[in-house]
Amino acid sequence: MFDKRNQLIFYANILIMVFGITVIIMSDFLIVGLLFIIGAALLIYEQIHQNRGAFSISGLEKILTVKDTCGNKAELMQKQKTTACHVDNTVFWFRSINPTGSISGFRINNQTPAEQTKDSNNKHQVCMSLPTDPKATNGLDTILSYTCTGAFGRTECALSHTVDDETDQLKLVVELPKGRPISSAHAYCVYNGNKEALLPPVVTGETRIETEIKEPRLGAEYRLEWTWPEANIIRKIGCYLG
C-alpha cells in the first residue's frame, strides 16, 4: 500500500500510539497518553487517505461472449461499481484495453464515451464523465461494452484484464458457441514479468469458462486462456457467408 518512505512514517506513528498506550498503563498521565494515541491515529488516517488511489472498483466482472464458432464475432462487457476516492475526480478512464482483433462500438452505460484514445502500447482507453453530484463517491454501477471482430479464430485464445485501479474482486467469464467445445482452460496472473498459474477455472457444459480472484494485485494482468479445436471447413464457410 505504501512506498518505503510512507512505510517509515506509518511505523513511526504506530510507535507513537504504542508510547501513548504505555504512558496510560505505566503512569497517571491519562490525558497525555490519550493525546499521543489520538494524534497518531489522526496522522495514520490522513496518511491512508492521501495515499489512496483515485478510484476503487468493487465486483468487477468481465464477460466475453463469442458469437460464432469461427471466433469472428464477439462482444465484451465489463460490469463494475466505480467509486471515486476524492470528490474532485470528474472523469474515470478505462485503461489497458487490449487491441484484440478489430475493436469498435465502445459504450459506457449505453452511451458514447466522453473521450477515446490509445496509449503508447497501442492499448485502447475510453473516458467516462462523472456526475457532478456526490453519487460518484458512493459508487456508480458502470458497464463498459464493445465488439471484437476477427479476434478468436485461433485454437489458443485468451481473455485478459489489467488491474489499473484498486479492485476488491475480479471475475473473468468466457461464453462460447455450441459446436466447438473447449479442449482445456487455464488461468494465470502476470506480474512484474512473471507468469503465475492460478486455480483451475470452472468449465460448464464445454461452452462457459469462469475464474474469480479476490483482491487482485494492482498493476497485474490476469488471463483466462483456453484452447478449442480448429473450426471445420463447413463451419468456416458458414462463418464467411454469414
Side-chain angles (χ1 to χ4, degrees):
M1 180 178 178
F2 299 133
D3 56 24
K4 289 184 178 180
R5 178 178 176 276
N6 277 288
Q7 285 178 0
L8 292 174
I9 296 172
F10 177 77
Y11 294 143
N13 288 327
I14 291 293
L15 289 175
I16 293 172
M17 187 178 292
V18 171
F19 177 74
I21 294 172
T22 304
V23 169
I24 292 174
I25 295 174
M26 303 298 291
S27 71
D28 296 329
F29 298 101
L30 176 63
I31 295 177
V32 174
L34 285 174
L35 289 175
F36 274 108
I37 293 171
I38 293 171
L42 289 174
L43 289 172
I44 291 172
Y45 172 82
E46 182 63 21
Q47 185 185 21
I48 291 173
H49 179 74
Q50 292 295 330
N51 282 274
R52 291 177 70 183
F55 293 90
S56 64
I57 308 299
S58 60
L60 193 155
E61 184 175 11
K62 200 166 189 176
I63 306 169
L64 170 69
T65 304
V66 181
K67 298 291 188 177
D68 60 87
T69 54
C70 293
N72 288 333
K73 300 177 182 178
E75 293 181 357
L76 195 142
M77 182 179 296
Q78 180 174 320
K79 302 177 182 180
Q80 63 188 50
K81 176 163 282 190
T82 307
T83 302
C85 297
H86 308 284
V87 293
D88 55 346
N89 292 335
T90 58
V91 295
F92 174 79
W93 282 90
F94 292 90
R95 305 182 185 276
S96 304
I97 302 172
N98 289 319
T100 308
S102 176
I103 296 179
S104 61
F106 283 106
R107 305 286 287 177
I108 300 175
N109 289 346
N110 206 30
Q111 296 182 352
T112 303
E115 190 176 345
Q116 180 179 332
T117 184
K118 288 185 180 181
D119 63 17
S120 58
N121 295 317
N122 202 38
K123 292 187 177 182
H124 295 268
Q125 301 181 91
V126 293
C127 176
M128 172 182 68
S129 297
L130 299 178
T132 54
D133 57 38
K135 288 182 180 179
T137 58
N138 298 327
L140 295 170
D141 291 326
T142 312
I143 299 177
L144 166 70
S145 61
Y146 54 92
T147 60
C148 302
T149 304
F152 302 101
R154 299 182 302 274
T155 56
E156 296 181 357
C157 303
L159 168 65
S160 70
H161 178 78
T162 300
V163 182
D164 292 313
D165 299 282
E166 292 184 5
T167 305
D168 69 340
Q169 192 166 342
L170 170 64
K171 186 175 184 180
L172 300 178
V173 179
V174 175
E175 296 180 342
L176 301 172
K178 294 181 179 179
R180 193 178 171 189
I182 300 162
S183 301
S184 63
H186 305 277
Y188 297 95
C189 170
V190 181
Y191 187 68
N192 287 337
N194 298 317
K195 189 175 182 179
E196 175 187 348
L198 303 176
L199 291 175
V202 176
V203 179
T204 306
E206 296 183 328
T207 59
R208 180 183 170 92
I209 322 164
E210 60 182 276
T211 188
E212 196 165 328
I213 304 100
K214 293 183 179 180
E215 297 182 353
R217 293 177 178 177
L218 188 64
E221 179 188 7
Y222 289 86
R223 295 177 60 84
L224 182 55
E225 301 179 354
W226 78 93
T227 61
W228 53 349
E230 187 78 25
N232 61 43
I233 187 64
I234 296 176
R235 294 190 183 279
K236 285 183 178 181
I237 294 173
C239 292
Y240 178 77
L241 295 176

